[in-house]
Amino acid sequence: MNQLLSIVVPCYNEEEVIGETMKRLKAFCGELADLDVELIFIDDGSRDRTRALLRSFADEDPRIRVVGFARNFGHQTAVTAGIDAARGDAVVLIDADLQDPPEVVHQMIAKWREGYDVVYGVRTERPGESAFKLATARAFYRVLNKLSDVPIPLDTGDFRLMSRHVVDSLVAMPERDRFVRGMVSWVGFKQTALPYRRAERFAGESKYPLRKMLKFATDGILSFSTKPLQMSIGLGMSAALLSLAGIVYALVMRLFTEIHVEGWTLLMIAVLFIGGVQLICVGILGEYIGRIYNEVKHRPLYVVQEYIGYANHEGPARSRSPVVDRK
């Protein structure tokens, strides 16, 4: 009996590209002689015709399954739902925009058969992306590795192959603020890099504008490091020492010279500086407390509106959603 490969594809408003993505994935699957394949598409609350197209594909091909969210929950949550639903001996994560070529998965499979539990793609080239995005991405991974206790590979995305052991470990991790590539590094096992050239987006627009990129970066840093809290303590101590130095200076000038510290400008600078440090520290603390608040509510990570391509629409054996389609 052949082993099963699960390919997880998160989708959000991919109407322009999903047909070509399906064509490329089917061509790839046709080249696999000794592996069975299931294609799991997670529709992350698309507002265009993405789900309708996926439904038509699932009607034509029994290997295709669709998990349709009730609204947009975000890319990392969609990836998590795909990992939950996957039944394969190995699971591949790949985006729908074809920037990560499906053909590279052949090399990942070869590495998996050599005994690696995780084969992650490392982007050697990223054509079509702005200099600003390239610079900020490069800086983010390096800052994250400086702050994190767990080394996270540089210049990687979610494009990777994972063994069943790794997938089961990820399924057991309940946190809400997901940073999947960091979580995969955290679980350990035998991992290796696979350099590849990233392609330009086939069609459509990036789903990661600056605002979402900043939130994603914040989630990555705060999910894997408490060093920002330690840095806030350092800022507070620096501000206190600077203030103490100012007090000593004022006393010396008052007691031992005829020059008195005339103070409005100096006072305002000191107040604004200390106030700024306090606000930064409170903001850092608030980010951590906000994450604790989200965790203790115990809401489901995502809500599924419908399952397509499953027997009786009952969905996969594992899901974090309380809703099952009753059609």
Side-chain angles (χ1 to χ4, degrees):
M1 184 176 178
N2 288 343
Q3 291 180 297
L4 178 64
L5 177 71
S6 299
I7 301 178
V8 173
V9 189
C11 305
Y12 179 60
N13 294 341
E14 302 290 359
E15 176 183 358
E16 297 178 58
V17 70
I18 196 65
E20 181 65 21
T21 301
M22 188 65 69
K23 178 182 175 182
R24 293 269 295 275
L25 285 173
K26 282 188 174 182
F28 163 75
C29 294
E31 297 168 357
L32 298 176
D34 54 353
L35 283 174
D36 294 329
V37 182
E38 64 172 359
L39 300 172
I40 303 173
F41 291 85
I42 312 299
D43 178 36
D44 189 16
S46 296
R47 297 190 299 271
D48 61 5
R49 295 180 59 249
T50 298
R51 189 175 303 184
L53 292 171
L54 290 173
R55 190 189 306 276
S56 67
F57 296 144
D59 290 340
E60 298 170 358
D61 191 333
R63 298 174 298 181
I64 297 173
R65 295 174 174 82
V66 182
V67 177
F69 282 178
R71 66 169 178 84
N72 178 251
F73 284 90
H75 180 268
Q76 295 295 287
T77 302
V79 169
T80 299
I83 291 171
D84 292 343
R87 300 178 296 120
D89 299 285
V91 177
V92 171
L93 305 180
I94 186 170
D95 287 338
D97 56 16
L98 293 177
Q99 287 188 280
D100 300 324
E103 297 76 15
V104 175
V105 178
H106 284 298
Q107 301 172 56
M108 292 183 171
I109 293 171
K111 290 288 186 181
W112 170 52
R113 285 174 169 161
E114 289 175 14
Y116 290 99
D117 291 287
V118 177
V119 186
Y120 54 86
V122 176
R123 303 157 177 171
T124 57
E125 297 180 50
R126 301 175 66 169
E129 297 187 5
S130 67
F132 174 77
K133 186 169 183 178
L134 292 173
T136 52
R138 181 180 176 83
F140 163 66
Y141 282 108
R142 283 148 184 81
V143 170
L144 180 59
N145 267 309
K146 288 289 185 182
L147 296 177
S148 176
D149 296 328
V150 179
I152 297 173
L154 302 176
D155 304 319
T156 63
D158 291 320
F159 183 40
R160 62 193 59 222
L161 179 147
M162 302 174 293
S163 72
R164 186 77 248 169
H165 300 301
V166 175
V167 171
D168 288 341
S169 299
L170 293 177
V171 169
M173 298 170 74
E175 59 257 46
R176 298 185 55 81
D177 295 299
R178 317 286 289 187
F179 184 64
V180 173
R181 64 200 69 170
M183 295 165 69
V184 174
S185 295
W186 183 88
V187 300
F189 294 100
K190 191 176 180 181
Q191 306 196 13
T192 188
L194 180 67
Y196 75 103
R197 181 183 184 275
R198 205 175 196 217
E200 293 188 43
R201 185 179 176 87
F202 179 80
E205 298 179 352
S206 172
K207 304 306 184 298
Y208 267 97
L210 180 60
R211 176 180 59 83
K212 285 189 176 181
M213 286 175 61
L214 290 173
K215 183 182 183 303
F216 182 64
T218 302
D219 287 341
I221 291 171
L222 298 186
S223 295
F224 286 90
S225 177
T226 58
K227 287 183 181 177
L229 291 173
Q230 298 166 10
M231 290 168 61
S232 68
I233 295 172
L235 280 172
M237 293 179 64
S238 298
L241 289 172
L242 190 59
S243 301
L244 180 61
I247 292 170
V248 171
Y249 172 74
L251 287 174
V252 169
M253 296 298 288
R254 176 67 178 174
L255 296 175
F256 300 105
T257 73
E258 297 296 324
I259 303 172
H260 297 164
V261 177
E262 297 185 9
W264 188 88
T265 302
L266 185 62
L267 179 63
M268 289 305 298
I269 291 173
V271 168
L272 291 173
F273 173 75
I274 295 173
V277 170
Q278 288 175 331
L279 288 174
I280 290 171
C281 296
V282 169
I284 293 171
L285 186 60
E287 285 287 343
Y288 282 98
I289 292 173
R291 280 160 171 72
I292 295 171
Y293 174 65
N294 284 333
E295 294 289 347
V296 300
K297 286 188 291 189
H298 295 299
R299 289 179 181 173
L301 187 61
Y302 51 84
V303 177
V304 175
Q305 183 179 23
E306 61 179 335
Y307 295 107
I308 302 168
Y310 289 92
N312 301 318
H313 301 279
E314 291 181 356
R318 292 189 294 197
S319 174
R320 303 179 202 229
S321 171
V323 176
V324 176
D325 185 58
R326 298 299 182 186
K327 294 180 181 179

